[in-house]
Amino acid sequence: MAQQQERGCLPCTNCFVTVPQDKYYAVESFGKFSHMLKPGLSFAGPDCCGCCVNFRSVTSRVDQLVVSVHTKTKDNVFVVASVAVQQSVLPEKAVDAMYKLTDVHAQIDSYVADVVRSCVPHMTLDEAFEKKDDVSSAVQQRLTVEMGLYGFQIHKALVTEMVPNAEVVQSMNE
């Protein structure tokens, strides 16, 4: 979900740019945000040698991030919870998504770790496996509120795996 610097479609100038269907483009004039462009061929403004007008883009596609969180259960078993978070940029808040956060994935990592570490320690190992959906819901609710402020929509947050430490797995198999 990283933003990228883009170039115009003519050499030595950024007057015209072809915006792909799956991206949002912001036009910057002398480093200041000017406006957003729609997909297709667009005129961005007068430019001299590519130094007056610049472009910044972010994808409109759904992106998935898998976060691994180490935590401890109520019965003192260490587990690694893997949470898959699917997010995308809200079209009406694309400017916020480009200019408000530097590292979207680090922010999502922090929120997921916070929620998982506040839920799982109140559960036994068996309860943690049984209530993965409750943890997923808690993560999704928190991310939807917090990341919405930065222009992101959370589609789903799923606890895909809950792996206890090796000694516990070995004793369960005996």
Side-chain angles (χ1 to χ4, degrees):
M1 192 58 62
Q3 53 182 295
Q4 300 173 330
Q5 292 289 101
E6 303 288 349
R7 304 271 320 149
C9 59
L10 298 174
C12 300
T13 184
N14 284 334
C15 291
F16 291 96
V17 66
T18 305
V19 179
Q21 187 70 33
D22 66 339
K23 290 195 174 187
Y24 301 113
Y25 269 46
V27 178
E28 296 175 344
S29 297
F30 297 102
K32 184 178 187 286
F33 171 76
S34 174
H35 60 282
M36 297 296 293
L37 296 176
K38 296 188 184 298
L41 181 65
S42 297
F43 176 72
D47 186 38
C48 179
C49 300
C51 63
C52 303
V53 175
N54 293 311
F55 305 106
R56 195 178 291 227
S57 72
V58 68
T59 185
S60 63
R61 294 181 182 202
V62 175
D63 185 29
Q64 179 167 300
L65 171 68
V66 178
V67 180
S68 294
V69 182
H70 297 268
T71 189
K72 187 170 136 178
T73 62
K74 189 176 187 178
D75 47 359
N76 293 322
V77 176
F78 286 94
V79 296
V80 177
S82 295
V83 182
V85 178
Q86 298 165 349
Q87 87 273 357
S88 65
V89 173
L90 289 164
E92 64 277 2
K93 292 189 171 184
V95 174
D96 291 342
M98 282 188 227
Y99 293 104
K100 281 193 171 182
L101 276 180
T102 303
D103 191 347
V104 176
H105 290 171
Q107 192 74 29
I108 290 174
D109 278 355
S110 298
Y111 286 127
V112 170
D114 182 52
V115 173
V116 170
R117 288 189 182 127
S118 67
C119 290
V120 174
H122 298 290
M123 303 175 187
T124 63
L125 181 61
D126 290 338
E127 289 172 341
F129 279 105
E130 291 169 7
K131 296 182 179 180
K132 287 195 304 187
D133 289 342
D134 294 347
V135 176
S136 293
S137 295
V139 169
Q140 185 167 349
Q141 288 173 356
R142 174 84 185 271
L143 284 176
T144 299
V145 170
E146 299 295 337
M147 295 307 291
L149 300 173
Y150 301 110
F152 290 91
Q153 175 183 6
I154 304 301
H155 297 278
K156 205 71 175 159
L158 301 167
V159 176
T160 57
E161 201 172 32
M162 193 82 72
V163 180
N165 64 5
E167 294 110 21
V168 174
V169 172
Q170 186 178 6
S171 68
M172 289 168 75
N173 289 336
E174 291 177 357

